């Protein structure tokens, strides 16, 4: 994979030569001013840097528009305290993630891949390529990377409040209030809309949209993360993958059956995430009774009947906005259509969640 790394480094280095890179691909939402992560004014009175991502943690937010930086392994060792257990965040099939702090005070998350493998190399290169060209307030920002002596590490901005998965299903979780669920759905939808429809390099298909890959601040701002399986999707391309990659329970039927991948596969997966937000159920749970183990199959007839009382998470104890729940249920129903042509685009999903489209 040496040639692949050389190609990757060449592509990333070219970003330094592109004027105004941040301004070209930072899309500004109409409601941006309502978010903690606001657009930076270009006026003379602009602040020295972007506001903190989380109003509680007040961690420094990396500036948009900078290409990813090449770190040395020694720099990342220093930042993470030698990848100490005290800074350990998570571990998965890819490797481990540690918290760190750079000399300028920037708090980071460092993903260290396991020993080199063909699949690991592909995922590493994919993530660097995608995130080098995709910067949005609802997409986790790649600050830099390290390729040194067989080691491969990615450096992200640190998102302080874990994943959506931990808030829905973690052992010591508190009940996730409906207002937080609604805000998370809207934030994640904005991130996916950007990837599909607004990124300057064209459509990016995430291919692994699920609660583990939606990271949260203490303000419940949602950021889409983990782009190891992402791929470019030229307009009209229905490329067939040699093998289906993703997470069971979130795979769109057409992708699982034939390997055909378009952005509508992400829409399906996002519909499953919305169902999880409404019901509090996992996408797949073998501990549930027969007929209820697959969330989408159990929920489809209930969505058709608009059976809100049977679908809504009982832990909410009726503390929710009825119209918002019904809107989210309608989005679920449309997103998990078996035929991808009947699924909405993410811009339409976002407008439905925000109540801009009457259904």
């Amino acid at each position: 994979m040496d040639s692949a790394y050389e190609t990757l480094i060449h592509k990333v280095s070219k970003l330094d030569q592109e004027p105004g890179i941040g301004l070209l691909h930072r899309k500004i939402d109409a409601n941006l001013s309502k978010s903690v992560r606001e657009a930076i004014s270009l006026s003379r009175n602009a602040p020295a840097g972007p506001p903190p991502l989380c109003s509680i943690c007040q961690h420094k937010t990396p500036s948009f528009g900078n290409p990813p930086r090449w770190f040395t392994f020694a720099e990342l060792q220093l930042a993470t305290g030698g990848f100490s257990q005290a800074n350990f965040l998570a571990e998965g099939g890819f490797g481990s993630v540690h918290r760190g702090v750079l000399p300028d005070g920037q708090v980071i998350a460092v993903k260290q891949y396991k020993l080199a493998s063909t699949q690991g190399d592909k995922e590493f290169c994919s993530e660097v390529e995608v995130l080098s060209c995709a910067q949005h307030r609802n997409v986790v920002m790649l600050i830099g990377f390290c390729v040194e002596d067989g080691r491969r590490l990615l450096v992200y901005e640190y998102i302080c409040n874990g994943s959506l998965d931990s808030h829905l299903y973690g052992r010591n979780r508190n009940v996730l209030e409906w207002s937080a669920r609604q805000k998370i759905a809207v934030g994640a939808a904005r991130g996916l809309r950007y990837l599909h429809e607004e990124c300057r390099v064209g459509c990016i298909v995430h291919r692994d949209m699920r609660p583990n890959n939606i990271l949260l601040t203490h303000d419940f701002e949602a950021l889409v993360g983990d782009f190891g399986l992402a791929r470019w999707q030229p307009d009209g391309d229905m490329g067939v993958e040699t093998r289906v990659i993703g997470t069971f329970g979130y795979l769109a039927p057409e992708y699982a059956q034939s390997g055909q991948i378009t952005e509508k596969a992400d829409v399906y997966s996002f519909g499953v995430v919305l169902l999880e937000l409404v019901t509090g159920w996992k996408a797949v749970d073998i501990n549930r009774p027969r007929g209820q183990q697959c969330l989408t199959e159990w929920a489809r007839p209930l969505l058709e009947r608009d059976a809100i009382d049977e679908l809504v998470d009982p832990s909410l104890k009726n503390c929710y906005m009825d119209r918002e729940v019904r809107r989210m249920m309608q989005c679920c129903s449309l997103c998990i259509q078996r035929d991808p042509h009947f699924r909405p685009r993410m811009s339409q999903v976002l407008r439905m969640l925000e109540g801009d489209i009457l259904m």
Side-chain angles (χ1 to χ4, degrees):
M1 284 291 291
D2 287 346
S3 61
Y5 281 125
E6 289 173 6
T7 301
L8 172 67
I9 301 308
H10 175 68
K11 289 180 179 178
V12 172
S13 65
K14 286 179 65 178
L15 293 174
D16 277 319
Q17 303 164 18
E18 296 186 29
I21 180 173
L23 299 180
L24 283 172
H25 62 236
R26 185 175 185 197
K27 301 296 183 179
I28 299 178
D29 290 320
N31 295 325
L32 203 57
S33 60
K34 298 178 183 177
S35 169
V36 174
R37 192 173 192 166
E38 295 180 320
I40 302 170
S41 169
L42 298 180
S43 70
R44 294 179 181 177
N45 298 322
L53 178 57
C54 178
S55 65
I56 295 175
C57 293
Q58 292 287 312
H59 290 151
K60 177 182 177 181
T61 302
S63 299
F64 281 89
N66 297 322
R69 170 185 164 191
W70 193 335
F71 288 91
T72 65
F73 186 71
E75 287 178 298
L76 299 182
Q77 271 190 313
L78 181 63
T80 61
F83 298 96
S84 68
Q85 187 61 33
N87 285 320
F88 175 79
L89 295 175
E91 187 162 10
F94 57 85
S96 58
V97 182
H98 288 78
R99 183 183 184 275
V101 183
L102 296 177
D104 65 357
Q106 176 69 59
V107 185
I108 57 174
V110 181
K111 180 194 286 188
Q112 183 168 200
Y113 281 75
K114 291 180 179 177
L115 294 177
S117 67
T118 301
Q119 183 59 34
D121 286 338
K122 287 180 179 178
E123 291 188 14
F124 179 90
C125 291
S126 171
E127 195 143 6
V128 174
E129 277 200 77
V130 168
L131 290 179
S132 295
C133 299
Q135 292 186 1
H136 184 272
R137 67 191 182 91
N138 294 109
V139 174
V140 175
M141 185 182 294
L142 178 70
I143 295 174
F145 60 93
C146 173
V147 179
E148 186 178 312
D149 296 331
R151 301 186 183 98
R152 296 157 300 148
L153 303 95
L154 295 176
V155 182
Y156 307 92
E157 61 178 329
Y158 173 69
I159 311 302
C160 53
N161 200 19
S163 68
L164 173 57
D165 180 78
S166 67
H167 286 271
L168 285 175
Y169 312 120
R171 287 184 180 180
N172 301 315
R173 68 187 185 279
N174 295 317
V175 174
L176 192 61
E177 295 181 358
W178 176 255
S179 58
R181 300 186 196 208
Q182 170 70 14
K183 186 173 185 179
I184 291 165
V186 169
R190 285 177 178 157
L192 270 184
R193 178 192 62 178
Y194 167 77
L195 294 170
H196 290 177
E197 303 175 32
E198 298 180 345
C199 188
R200 68 190 182 96
V201 294
C203 176
I204 296 171
V205 184
H206 187 279
R207 290 207 298 172
D208 200 17
M209 176 52 50
R210 55 193 174 106
N212 306 62
N213 295 333
I214 298 174
L215 303 182
L216 307 174
T217 70
H218 290 100
D219 300 306
F220 293 106
E221 288 288 339
L223 292 89
V224 178
D226 198 337
F227 288 79
L229 303 185
R231 60 160 286 174
W232 310 111
Q233 184 65 54
D235 291 341
D237 182 9
M238 289 284 286
V240 178
E241 296 294 317
T242 55
R243 67 189 181 101
V244 174
I245 303 175
T247 303
F248 183 66
Y250 299 91
L251 297 178
E254 73 281 1
Y255 181 43
Q257 293 166 12
S258 67
Q260 287 189 332
I261 183 71
T262 69
E263 73 278 7
K264 291 300 182 70
D266 279 351
V267 174
Y268 181 93
S269 302
F270 185 71
V272 180
V273 173
L274 292 181
L275 262 181
E276 292 181 87
L277 285 169
V278 170
T279 64
W281 284 24
K282 293 182 177 181
V284 177
D285 189 346
I286 60 174
N287 295 317
R288 298 199 70 86
R290 186 182 298 273
Q292 298 182 13
Q293 296 176 348
C294 178
L295 178 57
T296 53
E297 296 310 307
W298 169 77
R300 272 196 179 94
L302 298 177
L303 290 169
E304 291 173 4
R305 300 204 317 263
D306 197 30
I308 185 170
D309 292 335
E310 295 177 65
L311 281 165
V312 75
D313 187 346
S315 71
L316 290 170
K317 301 184 185 299
N318 294 320
C319 296
Y320 56 82
M321 298 286 287
D322 186 272
R323 67 178 182 277
E324 289 182 349
V325 174
R326 292 185 187 278
R327 282 203 302 258
M328 197 176 293
M329 286 168 52
Q330 289 172 318
C331 286
C332 293
S333 185
L334 291 169
C335 289
I336 64 171
Q337 291 290 314
R338 291 185 176 89
D339 187 334
H341 298 99
F342 293 148
R343 296 175 207 148
R345 300 173 65 192
M346 281 310 303
S347 55
Q348 295 171 313
V349 174
L350 177 59
R351 291 183 64 193
M352 286 187 282
L353 288 171
E354 293 181 322
D356 291 340
I357 296 179
L358 297 178
M359 295 177 288

